[in-house]
């Protein structure tokens, strides 16, 4: 019910913007639509492949072992992805500024450097902290029966760093119109 109330509040809040948006839309040129489809076509399989890669591990663990081990792994994976989620907030906030600076052909390097620096400020200490305190964090959150997941955390702890680098690289390629 909270989700429904939130959705209604958001609809009421953006109602004026949505009405203005649809009133100001004229006819979109077919060249613009064609260019957008050509640009986004390679992104669709990449997005599907990313989803398969991030979900396949749990399906395989469940298929090869049992639900208990899948649950233990899912907890470890969720803790590691939490680090990535916080760092992606910074990337998502800075991305419009990078795009604007890129369009103006000045200052985009500063924003890319800021994105790199602030994400590393989050990812590196959080990853080291999670690695060092993984057993205590698992025990605190879920209890001792999930402690076997500390091994998975030790392996997965590098994931936020590499996922951020992939995101930074893909944003750079997107700005260069190279999908």
């Amino acid at each position: 019910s909270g989700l429904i109330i939130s959705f209604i509040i958001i609809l009421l809040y953006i109602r004026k913007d949505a009405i203005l948006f649809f009133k100001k839309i004229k006819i979109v040129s077919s060249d613009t639509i064609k260019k957008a489809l050509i640009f986004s076509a390679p992104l669709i399989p990449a997005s599907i492949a990313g989803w398969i890669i991030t979900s396949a591990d749990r399906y395989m663990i469940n298929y090869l072992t049992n639900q208990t081990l899948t649950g233990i792994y899912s907890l470890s994976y969720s803790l590691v992805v939490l680090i990535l989620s916080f760092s992606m907030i910074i990337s998502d906030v800075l991305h419009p500024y990078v795009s604007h600076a890129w369009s103006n052909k000045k200052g985009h390097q500063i924003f890319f450097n800021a994105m790199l620096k602030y994400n590393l400020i989050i990812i590196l200490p959080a990853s080291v902290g999670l690695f060092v305190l993984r057993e205590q964090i698992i025990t605190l959150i879920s209890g001792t029966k999930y402690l076997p997941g500390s091994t998975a955390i030790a392996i997965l702890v590098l994931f936020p760093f590499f996922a951020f680098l992939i995101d930074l690289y893909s944003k750079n390629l997107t700005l260069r119109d190279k999908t």
Side-chain angles (χ1 to χ4, degrees), residues 14-93:
I14 65 168
R15 180 180 43 157
K16 289 181 184 177
D17 291 333
I19 291 170
L20 285 174
F21 175 76
F22 286 112
K23 281 185 178 179
K24 289 186 178 185
I25 287 183
K26 304 294 181 203
I27 297 174
V28 179
S29 71
S30 61
D31 290 338
T32 304
I33 292 173
K34 184 178 178 182
K35 187 177 177 183
L37 288 174
I38 290 171
F39 177 78
S40 64
L43 299 175
I44 294 168
S47 179
I48 292 169
W51 176 80
I52 290 171
I53 288 170
T54 57
S55 330
D57 53 357
R58 285 168 281 203
Y59 288 115
M60 288 192 312
I61 290 170
N62 193 36
Y63 178 76
L64 296 173
T65 60
N66 57 35
Q67 292 177 348
T68 304
L69 293 177
T70 305
I72 290 170
Y73 174 79
S74 293
L75 171 69
S76 303
Y77 184 81
S78 297
L79 289 172
V80 171
V81 168
L82 188 63
I83 296 171
L84 180 63
S85 299
F86 283 118
S87 78
M88 285 296 118
I89 291 170
I90 292 173
S91 291
D92 291 343
V93 167

Side-chain angles (χ1 to χ4, degrees), residues 118-178:
Y118 293 124
N119 274 289
L120 290 178
I121 286 172
I122 289 175
I123 291 172
L124 293 178
S127 296
V128 170
L130 181 61
F131 179 77
V132 171
L133 300 171
R134 64 188 183 269
E135 292 178 355
Q136 291 85 350
I137 292 171
I138 288 175
T139 304
L140 182 67
I141 292 174
S142 299
T144 56
K145 71 179 184 176
Y146 285 87
L147 277 176
S150 66
T151 306
I153 288 178
I155 296 167
L156 292 171
V157 78
L158 295 175
F159 170 69
F161 176 72
F162 289 114
F164 161 68
L165 289 180
I166 290 168
D167 182 63
L168 188 67
Y169 184 70
S170 67
K171 281 182 168 70
N172 190 333
L173 288 176
T174 303
L175 288 172
R176 296 173 191 266
D177 288 335
K178 295 183 179 181

